[in-house]
Amino acid sequence: MSSRSVTIKDIAKILGISKSTVSRALSEHSDVNQETRKKILEVAQQLNYQPNALALNLKQQRTNTIGVIIPETVNRFFAKAIGGIQRVANLAGYNVMICQSDESYITEKNNLRSLIASHVDGVIISVSSETDRTDHFDLLLQKKIPVVFFDRIREDLHTSQVYTDNYEISFAGTEHLIQQGCQRIAIIAGPQNLHNSRNRLNGYMDALKKHDRPVKESYIVHSNFTGGNIEEYTRYLINLPQRPDAVFAINDYAAVEMMHVFKKNGLKIPDDIAVLGFNNENIGRFVEPPLSTIDLPSYDMGAVSAEILLAQIRDASAPIQRKLVKSQLIIRESTHRITTP
Amino acid sequence: MSSRSVTIKDIAKILGISKSTVSRALSEHSDVNQETRKKILEVAQQLNYQPNALALNLKQQRTNTIGVIIPETVNRFFAKAIGGIQRVANLAGYNVMICQSDESYITEKNNLRSLIASHVDGVIISVSSETDRTDHFDLLLQKKIPVVFFDRIREDLHTSQVYTDNYEISFAGTEHLIQQGCQRIAIIAGPQNLHNSRNRLNGYMDALKKHDRPVKESYIVHSNFTGGNIEEYTRYLINLPQRPDAVFAINDYAAVEMMHVFKKNGLKIPDDIAVLGFNNENIGRFVEPPLSTIDLPSYDMGAVSAEILLAQIRDASAPIQRKLVKSQLIIRESTHRITTP
DNA sequence: AAAAATTGTTCAATCGATTGCGCATGATAC
DNA sequence: GTATCATGCGCAATCGATTGAACAATTTTT
């Protein structure tokens, strides 16, 4: 009848014993008579007793909840990462509280504050593109709340980090374009303040250098992920005196949009211009020609992050970990030139 | 030094007064001398006092957290809905706990159990495609936890519901195809157990009837959202003795994949066959020809759901609401026939 | 048979807040 | 000068668990 839940007090009253005994019987701690325990378990079962998580939270000062801060859920990369985090967390009996920073430092800071206020047991975070400082993380360290950074990491902080080989995979992607006979490779690079973007750009440049290709400023364009001005950049590249014969794009959406513009301008892909994307979105499989791209292990990065975090939650002395999860080059037709020179 | 947080007890001790007074001063309840209050606020400020949310949760039996259960975060529709939910919730000072059912009834049930165990103040849910019963929701109603169903709703339950006009928009989409001169319109419909899919199918059929087109079984194909066998279905349609001259697809990914197969088979879009998608994915803007589609108001549905839920959380006697958020037909080239008969 | 150890249980404090009730104190009323 | 009342504050219970310490009751040891 009453919507009040059953407590150990209720069980104790029914059996005419004390709360302590009930508690000990249920948590199987020690020193409870087998018969008493049996009776307690029976009554508990019968009343469908569920321990009040709120009381436990207060008493034990933990919540069995981990906080996650990501730039945005609509980004497929992060959506998949959440999947990995949740799988691991739920299996371990943890809930997941998700916040979006919307690529804003202020929001990220607020998210962090509210997660801390909620007493989450640990935090997994991928910093916003706007974030260029780390002072807001001090509170976490100060309160000794375990943190794992993933993908968009902060190498300067002494915390666990999970990342992928942005440099190496960009190097590999660029080298692949070179091997296809491309001479003038342009890149649409990400925001300069993002560590990952810089790594990717470096991988691209070093691959060019290795193969004695010049690195030309005019072939490097910085964009953000929203892709507002991709069309403009594409036209710019098309109209260069030395038009590039390949382009390595920041992400698949940019790549697809560029392909669209190239085709409208009568350029053949990949022979006039090869296109390599980033992120392995579904879309890449269905465009004409199918898009070569780089598969980022987002799900795995999420899962690994959660595992590391849980280890640190369970054992405060667990060591900081830095873990690499490898990306993979996926070659389709948009970079596959039949006629290599 | 100590990582223990400041409590009202600390403040009380410093000022040599009782906890009660501190509490009353901070919550501005009543009956506190202005001077005493001032001193308390000062000390609180100085020590950077933050009330312990866990203690409040226990005392007040609420958590300022709302639970969300969706089929999957990688689905862009739901990812956007989460955005809307979070925006509204955060502005109101609520946290959001997100669970994925992975389109599984069992998982959905487990999610629900863990949200209830976490004492969330309310739940927003879009049921899994596998869910064909409602018994697991009884516990929510029994515990009087406010619920809002959105998009994938359950009309049979007496709870708030937020949905879009699947029937009307499918009717409109089909009518649009008819107006473009299409005679034989096929449909790739969603899973039959989903309410939304049935509504969409009905809209399609009724539009055909209204314009005296026959409804042919052979033009109706049921698929799920994973899109595993779209290619096969497409071939089936192409090889029909009376090949359709338009297809209305369950979602944009299916539509794009179909376009791909049509083009490979030498069919011209939209003149040989028009293609209409569903969901307004980014991808649709970049395929050749750009895809006509239906824009589902996912963000708004999330936001509206959160608003209704919060209203019910704040006032238990707030009425149940059923709210329609309209979809929109977006016409691009894949259905735009120049040569209407 | 007295001392010691074991077993099973209860008491009461604790986590960190809120809040009803009661008690001083001083002001006002009559 | 006593009765009444408002003001300001403290006591202690409460939310629902856990847990150290104390204490009976019984058994074992010597």
Side-chain angles (χ1 to χ4, degrees):
Chain A
M1 282 303 99
S2 94
S3 74
R4 231 191 89 264
S5 314
V6 186
T7 70
I8 49 169
K9 207 172 165 185
D10 299 325
I11 300 180
K13 200 171 290 173
I14 289 178
L15 292 170
I17 56 180
S18 80
K19 296 191 302 171
S20 332
T21 306
V22 177
S23 169
R24 277 188 254 261
L26 291 172
S27 55
E28 316 199 17
H29 249 322
S30 61
D31 303 342
V32 181
N33 187 304
Q34 283 306 323
E35 271 185 49
T36 324
R37 155 170 295 149
K38 216 181 115 194
K39 276 192 276 183
I40 291 173
L41 292 181
E42 258 171 31
V43 176
Q45 178 102 47
Q46 210 173 319
L47 300 185
N48 186 27
Y49 167 76
Q50 304 284 109
N52 185 316
L54 268 34
L56 284 172
N57 289 348
L58 174 60
K59 181 65 184 164
Q60 309 181 336
Q61 297 285 30
R62 50 191 176 77
T63 52
N64 291 309
T65 299
I66 66 180
V68 176
I69 302 178
I70 52 165
E72 40 180 25
T73 53
V74 290
N75 183 320
R76 195 175 167 80
F77 175 84
F78 293 116
K80 280 161 78 177
I82 290 176
I85 292 172
Q86 287 202 321
R87 172 135 192 84
V88 172
N90 290 345
L91 279 177
Y94 279 75
N95 282 109
V96 178
M97 197 169 269
I98 294 170
C99 299
Q100 304 185 58
S101 65
D102 293 326
E103 302 283 13
S104 145
Y105 164 73
I106 297 286
T107 309
E108 182 174 288
K109 196 170 171 175
N110 287 337
N111 288 339
L112 208 49
R113 197 165 26 210
S114 94
L115 288 180
I116 292 173
S118 301
H119 288 248
V120 293
D121 297 340
V123 173
I124 295 177
I125 182 168
S126 196
V127 302
S128 93
S129 60
E130 198 184 294
T131 302
D132 54 359
R133 45 203 292 194
T134 61
D135 52 333
H136 52 315
F137 299 127
D138 292 348
L139 201 53
L140 282 173
L141 306 179
Q142 196 180 309
K143 295 221 174 208
K144 302 200 197 310
I145 300 174
V147 202
V148 176
F149 286 79
F150 82 100
D151 188 52
R152 306 229 199 126
I153 61 177
R154 298 295 311 216
E155 286 191 328
D156 45 338
L157 293 178
H158 182 64
T159 65
S160 290
Q161 321 246 353
V162 175
Y163 54 96
T164 189
D165 49 350
N166 283 290
Y167 173 88
E168 288 79 3
I169 199 68
S170 292
F171 191 101
T174 309
E175 206 162 36
H176 161 68
L177 290 172
I178 293 172
Q179 280 157 1
Q180 296 296 310
C182 299
Q183 299 295 331
R184 299 174 304 282
I185 302 173
I187 186 168
I188 308 287
Q192 284 179 277
N193 58 324
L194 274 188
H195 196 250
N196 291 344
S197 304
R198 290 199 302 274
N199 275 343
R200 292 176 192 171
L201 185 58
N202 288 338
Y204 156 84
M205 293 195 295
D206 287 356
L208 290 184
K209 283 177 200 155
K210 177 185 168 196
H211 293 272
D212 298 320
R213 301 291 199 285
V215 174
K216 290 175 92 173
E217 281 293 329
S218 55
Y219 286 172
I220 300 175
V221 170
H222 284 281
S223 166
N224 56 18
F225 288 115
T226 62
N229 30 24
I230 292 297
E231 187 164 350
E232 181 188 332
Y233 291 149
T234 312
R235 281 190 226 291
Y236 156 80
L237 290 177
I238 291 176
N239 293 327
L240 281 179
Q242 291 255 48
R243 177 166 55 69
D245 60 356
V247 57
F248 190 0
I250 187 179
N251 66 34
D252 283 354
Y253 287 114
V256 169
E257 190 165 352
M258 296 184 86
M259 281 172 59
H260 198 218
V261 179
F262 288 144
K263 286 193 286 185
K264 270 208 291 203
N265 282 269
L267 296 177
K268 293 257 181 302
I269 302 169
D271 289 331
D272 291 336
I273 187 156
V275 179
L276 177 57
F278 215 111
N279 228 355
N280 193 18
E281 305 276 352
N282 262 339
I283 176 180
R285 282 163 40 215
F286 304 122
V287 288
E288 223 359 86
L291 179 67
S292 294
T293 186
I294 284 158
D295 185 55
L296 298 171
S298 43
Y299 185 93
D300 288 344
M301 284 171 81
V304 168
S305 301
E307 268 157 15
I308 293 177
L309 185 73
L310 289 178
Q312 287 182 213
I313 289 174
R314 284 191 273 245
D315 175 9
S317 70
I320 296 294
Q321 291 190 50
R322 311 224 157 182
K323 204 141 184 176
L324 167 70
V325 188
K326 286 197 175 176
S327 293
Q328 205 185 342
L329 181 60
I330 296 181
I331 300 173
R332 300 204 187 96
E333 295 170 32
S334 75
T335 61
H336 184 66
R337 291 191 174 185
I338 313 295
T339 55
T340 50
Chain B
M1 282 306 97
S2 92
S3 74
R4 231 189 90 263
S5 313
V6 185
T7 70
I8 49 169
K9 205 170 164 185
D10 299 326
I11 301 180
K13 201 170 289 173
I14 290 178
L15 292 170
I17 57 180
S18 81
K19 294 190 303 170
S20 332
T21 306
V22 178
S23 169
R24 277 188 259 260
L26 291 171
S27 55
E28 316 199 19
H29 248 320
S30 62
D31 303 342
V32 182
N33 187 303
Q34 283 306 322
E35 272 186 49
T36 322
R37 157 169 295 149
K38 215 180 113 193
K39 275 191 277 181
I40 291 172
L41 292 180
E42 257 171 31
V43 175
Q45 178 103 48
Q46 210 174 321
L47 299 186
N48 185 29
Y49 167 75
Q50 303 284 110
N52 185 316
L54 268 33
L56 284 172
N57 289 348
L58 174 61
K59 182 67 184 160
Q60 310 180 335
Q61 298 286 27
R62 54 191 174 77
T63 53
N64 291 308
T65 298
I66 66 180
V68 176
I69 302 178
I70 52 166
E72 40 179 23
T73 53
V74 291
N75 184 319
R76 196 176 167 79
F77 174 84
F78 294 116
K80 281 161 79 178
I82 290 176
I85 292 172
Q86 287 202 320
R87 172 135 192 85
V88 172
N90 290 343
L91 279 177
Y94 278 75
N95 282 108
V96 178
M97 197 170 269
I98 295 170
C99 299
Q100 304 186 57
S101 65
D102 294 326
E103 302 284 13
S104 144
Y105 164 73
I106 296 287
T107 308
E108 183 174 287
K109 195 168 171 175
N110 287 337
N111 287 338
L112 208 49
R113 201 172 15 217
S114 95
L115 288 179
I116 292 174
S118 302
H119 287 249
V120 293
D121 297 340
V123 173
I124 296 177
I125 181 167
S126 196
V127 302
S128 93
S129 60
E130 198 185 293
T131 301
D132 54 359
R133 46 203 293 193
T134 61
D135 52 333
H136 52 316
F137 299 127
D138 292 348
L139 201 53
L140 281 174
L141 306 179
Q142 196 181 309
K143 295 220 175 209
K144 301 199 198 311
I145 301 173
V147 203
V148 176
F149 286 79
F150 83 100
D151 188 53
R152 306 229 199 126
I153 61 177
R154 297 296 310 217
E155 286 190 329
D156 45 338
L157 293 178
H158 182 64
T159 64
S160 290
Q161 321 246 353
V162 176
Y163 54 96
T164 190
D165 49 351
N166 283 290
Y167 174 88
E168 288 79 2
I169 199 68
S170 292
F171 191 102
T174 309
E175 205 162 36
H176 162 66
L177 290 172
I178 293 173
Q179 281 157 1
Q180 296 297 311
C182 299
Q183 299 296 331
R184 299 175 303 282
I185 303 173
I187 185 169
I188 309 289
Q192 283 178 278
N193 59 323
L194 274 189
H195 196 250
N196 291 343
S197 304
R198 290 199 302 273
N199 275 343
R200 291 175 193 172
L201 185 58
N202 288 337
Y204 156 83
M205 294 195 295
D206 287 356
L208 291 184
K209 284 177 199 155
K210 177 185 169 196
H211 291 274
D212 298 320
R213 301 291 200 285
V215 173
K216 290 175 90 172
E217 281 294 329
S218 56
Y219 285 171
I220 301 175
V221 170
H222 284 280
S223 167
N224 56 17
F225 287 116
T226 62
N229 29 23
I230 292 296
E231 187 164 349
E232 180 188 331
Y233 291 149
T234 313
R235 280 191 225 291
Y236 156 79
L237 289 176
I238 291 177
N239 293 326
L240 280 180
Q242 291 256 47
R243 177 166 54 71
D245 60 356
V247 57
F248 189 0
I250 189 179
N251 66 34
D252 283 355
Y253 288 114
V256 169
E257 191 165 352
M258 296 184 87
M259 282 173 59
H260 198 217
V261 179
F262 288 143
K263 287 193 287 186
K264 269 207 290 200
N265 282 268
L267 296 177
K268 294 255 180 303
I269 302 169
D271 289 331
D272 290 337
I273 187 156
V275 179
L276 176 58
F278 215 112
N279 227 355
N280 194 19
E281 304 275 352
N282 262 338
I283 176 179
R285 282 163 41 216
F286 304 122
V287 288
E288 224 357 86
L291 180 67
S292 294
T293 187
I294 283 159
D295 185 55
L296 298 171
S298 43
Y299 185 93
D300 289 344
M301 285 172 80
V304 168
S305 301
E307 268 157 15
I308 293 177
L309 185 72
L310 289 178
Q312 288 183 212
I313 289 174
R314 285 192 272 245
D315 175 9
S317 69
I320 295 295
Q321 290 190 52
R322 311 224 157 182
K323 205 143 185 173
L324 167 70
V325 188
K326 285 196 174 176
S327 291
Q328 205 184 341
L329 182 59
I330 296 181
I331 299 173
R332 300 204 187 97
E333 295 169 33
S334 74
T335 61
H336 184 66
R337 292 191 175 186
I338 314 296
T339 55
T340 49

